[in-house]
Each structure stands twice: as C-alpha cells, then as structure tokens.
Amino acid sequence: MRSRAPPVVLAWITPMVVVIAVAITFCTAFYVLDSLLFGADLHSASSIFQHYLSFDPVLITDALPTLGMTIVAVLGIVLTVVAIIVQLSSERYTSVAIMFLREPVHIAVISFYIVASLCAVWLSVTLRPDFVPRSLLLLVMILTSLGLAGMLPYFAYTFWFLEPGNIIDRLRRNTARLTARGLAAQEPEEANRMQRRVLEKMEEITDIANNSIEGRDKIIAGAAVDALCDFAVDYVATKPEKDIAWYRLGPELRFNPDFVAMDTELLAELETRRLWVEWKTLHEYLRVYYEALDSMTDVASQVAIDTRYIGEAAADTQQTDLIRMVFRFFNSYLRAAIDRGIERTADDVLLQYRMLLEQLLRQELCEEACEGVRFMKHYGYLAFEEELIWITETVAYDIASLCRYAHQERLGCDEAMLFELLALDSEGPGDTRRHYRGLRGVRKAQTRLGVYYLSEGDEMKAGLVADDMAEMSPVFKAEVRNDLWLQAPPHFWEIVDRGRNLHYLTDKERGYLDRFLDQVRTSHA
C-alpha cells in the first residue's frame, strides 16, 4: 500500500480560506450595518475601514488579554487532542510517537501555535497610554485567525497521518531509506547501525500484521504483508552485486533473536550469498503465516502470494540462491498447513508455488523449476500420508500442468518433471503403494497429461505414462475414463482461485482419450 500526503490546497488552504471568508463576510456585514445605522459620518468604505483600525489605547487594553488567551487556549486544545490520539495509536503501533515528533508538518504547526502565543504575550506588555502598536496587533489578530481556522485541517491531517495504512507505508519507506543508507555506507560501524535500524523497522511491520490478525483486522494485516513484499522486491531488483560492508553480518545482526540461534554454517551461507535481508523478510513472513494459519487463512494465502512475488523478482534477476531460499519457505508453508490439516491454505500455497515455477520456466531456469517440482512431489506424498487426498491430487495436477507448459514451450525439461509425476503414486513403504494405485485423482492427472502428449504427437512420452499406469483394473480404468469424459465446463463450477476445472479435456484431447487408454495394459486382479 503506497499512500500519498493529502494535497496542500485541498487539505489545508481550501478549508482555511472557506472558514476565514465566512467569518470575514459575517463580521464585515454587521460592522458595516452598524456603521451605517449608528456611526457618525461613516458612509464610505474608506471611512469605515479607517474607523475600524483606530484603536483606542485605553479601551484596547480590555481586549488584549482575551486575544492572548484565545491563541493559548487553541494551543492547549491542539496539544490535548493530538496527545490523546497519538497515545491511543502508540498502544497499537510502537513507533507512532517517534514518527509523529519527526514529521515536518506537525513540527511546523506546533511551532506556529507557539510563535503566535509568544507574540500575543509580548503584545500585551507593549501598550502605552498614548500608543498602540497597530502592526503588531494586526499580526497577532492574523495569527490568531489562522490558528483558529487551521484547527480543522490540522486535526484532519493528524487523523490521516495515524491511519494504519499510512503508518505501514511510512515504515516501509523508512526501511527502504535506511537500507539505501546502509548500502552506501563505507564504514562497517555505519553499516552495522543501519542493519539494526532496518531490522527494527521490519519487525515493527510484522508486529502490526500479527496484532491485526489477533484483532481480526484483515485489511491492516494484508497491508503490512504487502509492505514487506514491496520493500523486498525493490531491494532484490536494485541491490548492487559488488561486495560491500552491508552484506557482512555485523554484531547487531548476529545478536538479533532471529539470527543468534542459527547454525554457524547457515550464517556463513547468508553472508557469502548476500541474502540476509531476503532471509529476514521471508522469516518475518513465516511468523505472520504461523499466526494467521489457524485464525485468518486469507492472510496466510496472501503471505504465499507475496512470497511468490519475491521469487519472481529473483527469477527476473537470475538470483538462483534466492530462488532456492524461497523454495525452502514455500516448503515450510506446506509443511505447516499439512500438519494442521488445513487443505484450503495448502491448496493456495501450491497454486503460488506452481505459478512461481511457471515463471522460472519462462526465464528458462529449468534446473531450478525441476527442483521445485521434486519438492512439490514430496509434499504431495506427505499429504497423502496425512489423509489429505485432495492436496495430493492437486499436486499431481500442478506437476502435470508444469510438464505441459514446458512441453509446449519446447524447454526440454518436461521429461524430468514427468518422471516426478509418475513417481507420485508409487513412492512409500509397505502397502502404501497399493493405496496410491487406487488414488483416482492422481491417475486422472496422469491420464490427462498422457492424452495431451498423444494429441501433440509425442507418442514416446504418452507411452511412458501408459506404461506407468499398467495393471489398472478395467473397472478403475473405466471410472477414470468416465470422470474425464464428463468433466465440463472448462471453468470450475465453484468460486476458487484456480478457476479452471482440474481435469477438463479440450475437444481435441477428447478424441485421443480412448486411444490412450487402449495403450494402458489392464489387470483383472
């Protein structure tokens, strides 16, 4: 979420001009009316204006204390209101008070009220029996008028400033600014200091996300997750390749709770591969994911989406080490969802995982894509052990889709992914193999891919699929055939993120379904 400050004209000048214009209109109208009805020889505009400015030294002394107390009272009101709302926000967002005190607009407004109050105090001691400092008196009147008229827009700005989305965006921009300073730092001490401050800002954003999840505020939690993503994607795209002090793990990093418990070898790996910022960002995502997994699955799914964006940024810049790190966090997401039996979140994570692998294939990073497919197969098998059959079937569909995409683009790596798909229903000790052979959804995904290969004239790979499906019983093969033949329309009949019907066959592919199944040897066992 990227916020912008309210336009100066609309937010400040227009309300003040309107308020002052209304006040001047009413005041002038009634003063002119009184002058015309009761004033002696006050029948022209110049005479009326001159009469207004003819301050009596004796009588003006009664008005000055009221004038001075007015601006001081306004200052007191402003400070009271601002202190209350800042305190309330500070209870939820730890850095609000510091941000407020450093914001130039707040400093300027409070300074204005203080200056106006001082001028009013000093004016009160300048009067003499025969002298009225008209210029200073007019200045105080103008400052008091501006102070009164500016209360409304200032309160509006303060409330805008303290909106959660704006706080999050300000934290993101501060994190990016501190990171830029750290990247430019020449001395290790300066880089270490910037590392500490960047860690603090990132953890503040995470705290906002977790607190929002506890309060069931999905919008704010999502904004915090997106802020970390925006920061990380920009960082990945722009970080320099040369070795600089910023990439070395300083004392502040090594003693951070997220780093102090890490294995020495892993710390050295992060330093060598210059990935501590990305690792910290993804680790903060993991914290948010664990927090949201049981209570707010939409936020957990958004974490997976933004993790994919980071992986795609790594793919765009050919940072294979970062891609593999993203895999590890995707694997952690899947493990947590499967262990807790949350199928919907696991399905969402698999969708983002597959979309990331498709992007790797577009970037011709076939080796990394095949590595990701192996991970997906592993978690498909793990889901089956946990009796999450739908997740295993989804893994089969996703791997088959990746095989199909790689084959269409002639990337040359679809055969390696095909073997992973065929192994999905044959791994496991003991009689688990027998249960896998009865997993209809996996067989339908394999059949659908075999039919595609046959329709594209690749009989060799279609034969590999058919051979793997050998010894299917005629009943089971007929069931698979009927399931695929009756799948329509192409889009799933419920509202899901995937959109497409997993086992839909095009009209062209339907013409090859029976031909492919005829190649599958059947068993009457």
Side-chain angles (χ1 to χ4, degrees), residues 3-156:
S3 62
R4 297 178 59 187
V8 175
V9 174
L10 293 178
W12 289 90
I13 297 178
T14 300
M16 293 176 66
V17 168
V18 170
V19 170
I20 292 175
V22 171
I24 290 176
T25 300
F26 279 100
C27 183
T28 301
F30 284 94
Y31 188 84
V32 170
L33 180 62
D34 289 338
S35 300
L36 294 175
L37 295 178
F38 308 108
D41 299 327
L42 299 178
H43 299 291
S44 65
S46 59
S47 62
I48 293 174
F49 184 70
Q50 184 178 8
H51 182 267
Y52 177 79
L53 297 179
S54 299
F55 301 117
D56 190 306
V58 177
L59 299 178
I60 197 66
T61 56
D62 296 330
L64 285 182
T66 303
L67 185 63
M69 287 189 296
T70 299
I71 190 61
V72 173
V74 171
L75 174 61
I77 294 171
V78 169
L79 291 177
T80 301
V81 172
V82 168
I84 291 173
I85 59 178
V86 170
Q87 176 62 30
L88 292 175
S89 297
S90 297
E91 293 177 358
R92 188 172 184 180
Y93 312 114
T94 55
S95 61
V96 166
I98 298 299
M99 285 192 291
F100 181 87
L101 294 175
R102 292 177 177 174
E103 174 65 20
V105 174
H106 298 297
I107 295 174
V109 172
I110 300 300
S111 299
F112 169 82
Y113 282 113
I114 293 175
V115 169
S117 299
L118 289 174
C119 290
V121 171
W122 294 336
L123 172 63
S124 63
V125 298
T126 59
L127 295 178
R128 296 292 183 271
D130 57 347
F131 174 72
V132 175
R134 287 179 171 80
S135 298
L136 181 57
L137 179 56
L138 288 174
L139 174 64
V140 172
M141 291 175 61
I142 293 173
L143 293 178
T144 302
S145 300
L146 292 176
L148 289 168
M151 288 177 63
L152 181 61
Y154 178 59
F155 287 155

Side-chain angles (χ1 to χ4, degrees), residues 288-440:
V288 175
Y289 182 85
Y290 287 155
E291 185 73 26
L293 194 55
D294 292 320
S295 59
M296 196 171 289
T297 56
D298 287 345
V299 176
S301 299
Q302 188 169 348
V303 168
I305 293 172
D306 286 347
T307 301
R308 171 172 66 87
Y309 290 154
I310 296 175
E312 289 177 348
D316 292 340
T317 53
Q318 302 290 303
Q319 298 184 42
T320 56
D321 290 334
L322 178 54
I323 292 171
R324 291 186 170 92
M325 178 182 288
V326 170
F327 286 169
R328 294 166 64 182
F329 281 91
F330 264 121
N331 296 341
S332 298
Y333 300 159
L334 284 173
R335 166 73 72 170
I338 291 171
D339 286 348
R340 301 187 192 186
I342 306 176
E343 290 188 332
R344 176 185 173 187
T345 301
D347 178 73
D348 291 341
V349 173
L350 282 171
L351 173 60
Q352 301 308 315
Y353 211 158
R354 191 202 78 202
M355 294 173 70
L356 172 60
L357 298 183
E358 288 177 350
Q359 180 64 19
L360 297 184
L361 292 175
R362 294 188 190 98
Q363 299 290 342
E364 298 186 357
L365 296 171
C366 293
E367 180 181 349
E368 289 73 18
C370 290
E371 183 178 348
V373 167
R374 289 193 292 272
F375 286 132
M376 290 180 70
K377 182 200 70 174
H378 170 75
Y379 288 99
Y381 175 70
L382 182 63
F384 184 81
E385 285 188 325
E386 297 294 330
E387 299 183 357
L388 301 176
I389 308 301
W390 167 250
I391 298 304
T392 306
E393 296 179 4
T394 303
V395 169
Y397 166 79
D398 285 338
I399 296 178
S401 296
L402 292 167
C403 292
R404 182 170 181 154
Y405 179 83
H407 185 268
Q408 289 173 338
E409 299 298 323
R410 303 293 189 266
L411 298 176
C413 58
D414 60 300
E415 186 172 346
M417 292 187 288
L418 172 60
F419 288 134
E420 299 298 333
L421 174 63
L422 299 181
L424 179 61
D425 67 342
S426 61
E427 290 191 4
D431 64 350
T432 304
R433 178 187 178 93
R434 175 172 56 83
H435 291 293
Y436 261 91
R437 289 300 181 187
L439 198 55
R440 183 184 301 179

Side-chain angles (χ1 to χ4, degrees), residues 93-328:
Y93 312 114
T94 55
S95 61
V96 166
I98 298 299
M99 285 192 291
F100 181 87
L101 294 175
R102 292 177 177 174
E103 174 65 20
V105 174
H106 298 297
I107 295 174
V109 172
I110 300 300
S111 299
F112 169 82
Y113 282 113
I114 293 175
V115 169
S117 299
L118 289 174
C119 290
V121 171
W122 294 336
L123 172 63
S124 63
V125 298
T126 59
L127 295 178
R128 296 292 183 271
D130 57 347
F131 174 72
V132 175
R134 287 179 171 80
S135 298
L136 181 57
L137 179 56
L138 288 174
L139 174 64
V140 172
M141 291 175 61
I142 293 173
L143 293 178
T144 302
S145 300
L146 292 176
L148 289 168
M151 288 177 63
L152 181 61
Y154 178 59
F155 287 155
Y157 179 84
T158 301
F159 283 112
W160 172 87
F161 181 87
L162 296 175
E163 286 181 1
N166 295 330
I167 293 175
I168 293 169
D169 185 66
R170 202 169 292 109
L171 284 171
R172 179 193 59 79
R173 287 187 280 110
N174 288 343
T175 305
R177 177 177 54 83
L178 294 171
T179 301
R181 290 175 58 183
L183 289 169
Q186 301 295 326
E187 299 298 327
E189 293 79 8
E190 176 66 12
N192 180 52
R193 190 169 66 88
M194 292 299 103
Q195 288 173 350
R196 174 181 59 81
R197 295 185 64 184
V198 167
L199 288 179
E200 291 174 351
K201 298 302 180 184
M202 294 173 68
E203 289 170 355
E204 287 177 14
I205 296 175
T206 303
D207 288 341
I208 292 175
N210 288 337
N211 291 337
S212 300
I213 292 171
E214 292 178 2
R216 306 293 299 173
D217 197 331
K218 183 177 69 174
I219 295 177
I220 298 176
V225 170
D226 286 342
L228 286 173
C229 177
D230 291 341
F231 162 72
V233 169
D234 291 342
Y235 175 81
V236 169
T238 59
K239 73 177 191 178
E241 296 182 0
K242 62 181 180 180
D243 186 27
I244 54 178
W246 173 257
Y247 295 135
R248 294 187 282 276
L249 303 184
E252 295 288 351
L253 274 180
R254 292 183 180 273
F255 287 101
N256 182 272
D258 288 338
F259 290 88
V260 71
M262 292 176 63
D263 181 74
T264 304
E265 183 178 349
L266 181 55
L267 283 174
E269 179 182 333
L270 291 179
E271 187 171 57
T272 301
R273 298 179 178 178
R274 307 168 185 175
L275 293 175
W276 73 263
V277 173
E278 295 91 332
W279 186 90
K280 176 63 176 177
T281 303
L282 292 168
H283 194 268
E284 295 303 303
Y285 270 167
L286 192 60
R287 289 174 54 194
V288 175
Y289 182 85
Y290 287 155
E291 185 73 26
L293 194 55
D294 292 320
S295 59
M296 196 171 289
T297 56
D298 287 345
V299 176
S301 299
Q302 188 169 348
V303 168
I305 293 172
D306 286 347
T307 301
R308 171 172 66 87
Y309 290 154
I310 296 175
E312 289 177 348
D316 292 340
T317 53
Q318 302 290 303
Q319 298 184 42
T320 56
D321 290 334
L322 178 54
I323 292 171
R324 291 186 170 92
M325 178 182 288
V326 170
F327 286 169
R328 294 166 64 182

